[in-house]
Amino acid sequence: MTGTPRARARVQTMSDILRIGRTHLSRHGAAALSLRAVARDLGVVSSAVYRYVPSRDALLTMLIEDAYTDLGAATTTAERAVPRDRYRDRFLAVADAVRGWALAEPARYGLLFGSPVPGYVAPAERTTEPGTVVVRLLVGVLRDAHAHGALHTVEAAVPAALGADLRPVLAEYAPDLPEDALARGVLCWAALFGAVSFEVFGQYGANTFAHPELLFAHQMRALADTVGLRPST
């Protein structure tokens, strides 16, 4: 670690606050986060913590950024490990990485995709970029597959109003992708996180599926078919 002793001490303190915040999130939930409790576990008076993190909401934002960054790193690593021309496998790798991270980090996943914390609104300027890594990976798979003639869909007409919503996204991420393909991609995004959330939050019931990993794999293959990503030959 470089920098002055004061700078190094600040970095270490911020790291400790984040670590303790993660522990409290797991034990008590997001709504019960308290900077006073963090200060107690850190071994300092609460006024000392407020010099680093000014409010409970600021701590929540830190934890959200941290969780999105970890999820983004896990999914990016998984997607990059697959050959670029195996588009369906890239999609499935992203999906598996989302599920794996969520099951390993249920409290942090819940912070991102569970019930909103009353009175808290995440600042878009700090959470949008890390929070859109997964969707950008998914759109990237569709963009690459389409560019190489490997996206096998029968284009359906998109209502004009929906097209108006889709076009800014296409302009930013995949200008040559058909509107219908992006709409199907949004379905995959929503269904992926819906399937993961059902498992993480126990929505299927305790004894309904003995092998949830097989259910998830079947669901993701069905989504890949829906969006036009056929198995590689």
Side-chain angles (χ1 to χ4, degrees), residues 17-78:
I17 291 171
L18 189 57
R19 172 180 53 80
I20 293 169
R22 286 196 207 108
T23 300
H24 286 207
L25 176 68
S26 179
R27 290 178 181 172
H28 310 299
L33 282 175
S34 163
L35 282 179
R36 289 183 179 275
V38 170
R40 183 174 61 249
D41 284 6
L42 192 60
V44 300
V45 296
S46 57
S47 59
V49 171
Y50 282 105
R51 291 201 296 268
Y52 296 91
V53 183
S55 66
R56 190 277 318 248
D57 284 5
L59 177 59
L60 277 169
T61 299
M62 286 174 53
L63 289 167
I64 289 171
E65 287 181 292
D66 175 65
Y68 271 138
T69 298
D70 274 5
L71 174 59
T75 51
T76 299
T77 298

Side-chain angles (χ1 to χ4, degrees), residues 98-110:
V98 170
R99 177 178 181 268
W101 185 87
L103 292 175
E105 301 282 356
R108 297 168 79 197
Y109 180 85

Side-chain angles (χ1 to χ4, degrees), residues 7-8 11 44 50 55 73 79-80 83 85 87 89 108 112 127 132 138 147 149 187 189 196-197 212-213 223 230:
R8 292 196 296 272
V11 169
V44 300
Y50 282 105
S55 66
E79 192 268 344
R80 288 180 178 172
D85 61 347
Y87 310 107
D89 293 340
R108 297 168 79 197
L112 300 180
T127 57
T132 55
L138 295 176
L187 167 64
W189 174 37
V196 170
S197 293
E213 72 283 359
L223 284 176
R230 294 178 181 170

